[in-house]
Amino acid sequence: MINTFLFDFDGTLVDTAPDLINTANEIYLKFNLKEISFQEGLGCSSNGINAFLKKRFTSDEINNNSLFNQFVEIYKNNCYQNASLFPGYHELLKDLKKRGFKIGIVTNKPRTFTDLILNHLGIDSMFDIVLCPDDGFKPKPDNQMFLEVFDKLNVGHSQVIYVGDGERDIIAANASNIISVFANYGYIDPSENTEIWGYDLLINSTDDLKKLIDIFSLRNCLS
């Protein structure tokens, strides 16, 4: 019986791309480099700060100029300026809670940014658990955070669904033997062959996810 829905953050639950791209462009302009287009930036937005930096800088330049730290300092002030839940998610999360499902976030996004954005959106109290790598876990595709979910929420792998927009999300979910749902509306690099990722289910919108919730709710009632 499914009783827990877990979500990735960037590109799945929250649209954070505009602020990430704006921060990256601020760094690029500081070094007189070409700005990144919004479309090109989308492909980086699920892959972390280094993905943006490597678009314009060598590894030596990143290290020698402490560019990662510079990005962090700028993004701290920018991370919630344009961040928003993807359409339909506010109602969907409330519906999950109403139906008695546990809900959580398992993300590679640092804790500081995750908390700032959740607080700004006013939804931080909706989640039963929020896990980030800097809580002391290996980042996805390692499944360490999922094992923590099992322990903290007292749930088994057969009771959990995970929704994510990246290959690392699918790998980690599959390694945990939970149902993996690929959010095909997320931040996906056009060069990626997502068909080989090995996900269990695919959604193109929150409407598709609502249909899945209805199905699992019905199964729970009949079991």
Side-chain angles (χ1 to χ4, degrees), residues 31-45:
F31 288 85
N32 298 313
L33 297 171
K34 182 182 177 182
E35 292 182 283
I36 197 171
S37 70
F38 186 81
Q39 196 60 41
E40 188 180 4
L42 281 179
C44 298
S45 295

Side-chain angles (χ1 to χ4, degrees), residues 202-221:
L202 180 148
I203 58 171
N204 291 305
S205 66
T206 48
D207 287 338
D208 290 343
L209 186 54
K210 288 175 185 176
K211 292 174 185 176
L212 286 180
I213 293 168
D214 288 338
I215 291 170
F216 286 111
S217 293
L218 179 60
R219 288 181 182 176
N220 290 349
C221 290

Side-chain angles (χ1 to χ4, degrees), residues 50 53 57-69:
N50 278 320
L53 295 177
F57 302 97
T58 66
S59 295
D60 286 343
E61 288 172 333
I62 293 170
N63 294 328
N64 294 339
N65 293 287
S66 301
L67 294 182
F68 187 93
N69 292 336

Side-chain angles (χ1 to χ4, degrees), residues 111-145:
R111 167 65 64 180
T112 298
F113 305 138
T114 302
D115 285 349
L116 282 170
I117 294 169
L118 288 175
N119 182 263
H120 178 74
L121 296 174
I123 58 171
D124 44 327
S125 63
M126 298 185 74
F127 298 95
D128 297 285
I129 193 168
V130 177
L131 292 179
C132 307
D134 44 339
D135 295 329
F137 305 103
K138 294 179 180 178
K140 299 171 292 182
D142 194 281
N143 72 329
Q144 201 175 64
M145 287 188 282

Side-chain angles (χ1 to χ4, degrees), residues 136-167:
F137 305 103
K138 294 179 180 178
K140 299 171 292 182
D142 194 281
N143 72 329
Q144 201 175 64
M145 287 188 282
F146 292 95
L147 301 181
E148 181 73 2
V149 169
F150 297 158
D151 181 56
K152 293 298 184 183
L153 296 187
N154 192 29
V155 295
H157 61 83
S158 63
Q159 299 173 297
V160 181
I161 286 178
Y162 184 61
V163 184
D165 69 317
E167 185 177 17

Side-chain angles (χ1 to χ4, degrees), residues 83-120:
S84 62
L85 284 168
F86 278 99
Y89 260 110
H90 196 270
E91 295 77 14
L92 186 145
L93 291 173
K94 289 194 294 185
D95 185 46
L96 283 171
K97 296 296 285 186
K98 184 179 179 180
R99 297 191 195 208
F101 288 101
K102 299 175 183 178
I103 57 176
I105 294 171
V106 177
T107 177
N108 281 358
K109 198 175 192 71
R111 167 65 64 180
T112 298
F113 305 138
T114 302
D115 285 349
L116 282 170
I117 294 169
L118 288 175
N119 182 263
H120 178 74

Side-chain angles (χ1 to χ4, degrees), residues 168-180:
R168 68 177 64 80
D169 301 319
I170 305 305
I171 292 172
N174 290 347
S176 305
N177 200 23
I178 62 179
I179 295 175
S180 56

